[in-house]
């Protein structure tokens, strides 16, 4: 993902924060918002999870993960960012008063990057209603909120809405970018002026603005992506769609080309002999450009398990490689949902 510290979203270097919360000048004034701010912030919980030592993601995302989760219904379901929930064994939520509540992972959707939790007991607060990012415009103010109440709420601006391609074989047609960055962004709630939950915090980024304009901020995943898959996630732990083919590689863009920056040990790309530094020229004979192009070309070939023919430029030679894709979930530990 983004490395353990960046993924956990807690006290990253370069932002002045304290245990008392975000800087006071950045906190929202309740009088300037049309909804009950305290009621909304009470629905945001601190999150801590322990991951088994032998879990597939333990070495990349860590065995302890901290972030946030947001109560979204009266059945004690909470929404968080998926990498916090992946292979999580023991989960603890902390409410605005500091009271700890046990919870469990219901499911994780790799397509959206969202995770669903359920608390083991009733939560004494009002759930937050899911809203849509289509109702928000660039320049709008919003509140980015971590667990802990008003002290951990920050007024931010929506600076862009655009496609996002992650190097871990992840693609969103439209992600939300805000600035300034919240110091505890993982799973944080992005709350609209109407008091609805419009997105969930995913990453710290240097390029919240498109193009070459450097402006630190956060990338948020639209919460509305949960709606079509919620019932399946709640019932079975996964969305009712065929799993996408997974190659087990990390890609970087260099001049609108995909360069392999890493491979997962014993993953499909590793088994096929792909190497760091390989330049991807084509998928199934069709030229591809950047990461978005590459992912869409691979996923168009069929579900997980499909053979993916690649044309690779390596050390001055054109190399043809066939990668037998896999279902990423088959490498992960399944959470105990009961």
């Amino acid at each position: 993902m983004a490395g353990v510290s960046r993924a956990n979203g807690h006290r990253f270097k370069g932002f002045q924060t304290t245990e008392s919360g975000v800087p006071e000048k950045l906190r929202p004034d309740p009088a300037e918002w049309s909804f009950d701010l305290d009621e909304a912030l009470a629905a945001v919980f601190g999150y801590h999870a322990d991951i088994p030592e032998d879990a597939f993601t333990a070495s990349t995302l860590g065995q302890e993960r901290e972030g946030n989760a947001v109560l979204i219904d009266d059945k004690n379901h909470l929404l968080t960012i998926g990498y916090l929930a992946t292979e999580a064994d023991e989960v603890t939520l902390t409410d605005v008063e500091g009271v700890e509540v046990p919870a469990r992972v219901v499911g994780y959707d790799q397509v959206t990057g969202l995770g669903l939790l359920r608390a083991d007991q009733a939560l004494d607060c009002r759930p937050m209603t899911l809203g849509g990012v289509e109702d928000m415009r660039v320049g709008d103010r919003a509140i980015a909120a971590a667990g802990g109440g008003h002290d951990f709420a920050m007024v931010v601006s929506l600076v862009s809405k655009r496609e996002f391609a992650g190097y871990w074989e992840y693609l969103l047609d439209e992600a939300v970018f805000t600035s300034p960055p919240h110091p505890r962004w993982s799973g944080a709630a992005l709350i609209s002026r109407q008091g609805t939950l419009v997105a969930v915090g995913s990453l710290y980024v240097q390029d919240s603005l498109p193009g070459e304009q450097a402006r630190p901020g956060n990338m948020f995943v639209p919460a509305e992506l949960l709606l079509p898959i919620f019932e399946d996630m709640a019932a079975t732990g996964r969305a009712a769609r065929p799993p996408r083919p997974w190659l087990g590689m990390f890609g970087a863009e260099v001049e609108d080309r995909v360069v392999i920056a890493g491979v997962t040990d014993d993953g499909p790309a590793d088994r096929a002999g792909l190497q760091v530094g390989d330049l991807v020229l084509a998928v199934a004979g069709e030229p591809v450009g950047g990461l978005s192009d590459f992912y869409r070309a691979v996923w168009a070939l069929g579900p997980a398990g499909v053979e993916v023919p690649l044309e690779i430029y390596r050390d001055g030679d054109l190399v043809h490689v066939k990668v037998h894709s896999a279902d990423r979930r088959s490498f992960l530990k399944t959470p105990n949902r009961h």
Side-chain angles (χ1 to χ4, degrees):
M1 254 343 222
V4 176
S5 62
R6 290 293 174 94
N8 284 345
H10 181 65
R11 283 185 271 172
F12 63 93
K13 185 177 180 181
F15 194 98
Q16 298 301 314
T17 185
T18 69
E19 291 300 327
S20 62
V22 301
E24 187 170 357
K25 64 181 179 181
L26 297 179
R27 299 174 192 172
D29 179 351
E32 296 180 357
W33 300 83
S34 62
F35 57 91
D36 188 326
L37 183 59
D38 287 337
E39 181 179 82
L41 297 179
V44 186
F45 289 73
Y47 171 101
H48 177 91
D50 293 315
I51 283 67
E53 183 179 3
D54 61 344
F56 183 69
T57 59
S59 62
T60 54
L61 295 177
Q63 289 181 246
E64 289 188 70
R65 300 179 197 163
E66 293 186 354
N68 309 280
V70 189
L71 183 66
I72 58 171
D73 68 12
D74 58 5
K75 296 181 179 179
N76 302 317
H77 285 113
L78 299 99
L79 184 61
T80 189
I81 198 65
Y83 57 75
L84 292 178
T86 303
E87 301 186 287
D89 190 12
E90 297 183 13
V91 175
T92 302
L93 304 173
T94 305
D95 71 12
V96 71
E97 301 295 336
V99 177
E100 294 185 347
V101 178
R104 62 194 66 246
V105 174
V106 172
Y108 161 48
D109 181 54
Q110 293 163 7
V111 172
T112 61
L114 295 173
L116 188 65
L117 313 171
R118 185 170 55 244
D120 288 349
Q121 63 191 59
L123 300 176
D124 187 22
C125 59
R126 184 185 294 273
M128 205 177 300
T129 302
L130 298 189
V133 296
E134 73 276 1
D135 296 328
M136 297 188 69
R137 301 182 184 278
V138 171
D140 282 355
R141 293 202 312 163
I143 296 173
H150 188 263
D151 290 350
F152 293 90
M154 174 188 287
V155 178
V156 297
S157 294
L158 194 158
V159 296
S160 67
K161 295 193 291 184
R162 65 184 193 273
E163 181 183 79
F164 174 81
Y167 60 81
W168 58 96
E169 299 181 60
Y170 176 69
L171 179 65
L172 287 178
D173 291 334
E174 185 177 61
V176 178
F177 295 83
T178 64
S179 189
H182 195 291
R184 300 186 180 186
W185 65 85
S186 294
L190 186 65
I191 307 171
S192 72
R193 292 200 66 87
Q194 291 72 41
T196 60
L197 175 66
V198 291
V200 177
S202 178
L203 297 173
Y204 168 80
V205 297
Q206 293 283 2
D207 58 347
S208 61
L209 287 171
E212 298 181 358
Q213 306 175 72
R215 183 174 178 181
N218 294 128
M219 188 275 276
F220 282 78
V221 177
E224 65 203 70
L225 296 178
L226 178 69
L227 295 175
I229 61 174
F230 174 77
E231 295 298 332
D232 293 326
M233 288 273 286
T236 69
R238 63 188 302 172
R241 68 167 87 85
R244 285 174 172 172
W246 178 69
L247 305 185
M249 57 163 277
F250 303 103
E253 284 192 11
V254 179
E255 297 181 353
D256 292 326
R257 291 289 189 183
V258 174
V259 177
I260 297 178
V263 295
T264 300
D265 290 343
D266 204 32
D270 188 27
R271 295 172 187 172
L274 289 176
Q275 301 175 13
V276 172
D278 284 349
L279 181 67
V280 181
L281 300 180
V283 175
E286 295 296 323
V288 293
L291 286 172
S292 301
D293 241 11
F294 174 61
Y295 295 153
R296 290 189 173 106
V298 170
W299 298 336
L301 296 178
V306 69
E307 186 176 79
V308 180
L310 301 178
E311 290 182 20
I312 302 294
Y313 182 78
R314 178 189 299 162
D315 298 329
D317 294 322
L318 183 63
V319 181
H320 295 270
V321 179
K322 292 182 179 179
V323 183
H324 295 276
S325 67
D327 177 0
R328 188 185 335 219
R329 289 181 63 103
S330 67
F331 287 74
L332 306 175
K333 287 184 174 294
T334 303
N336 177 13
R337 304 176 64 249
H338 304 289

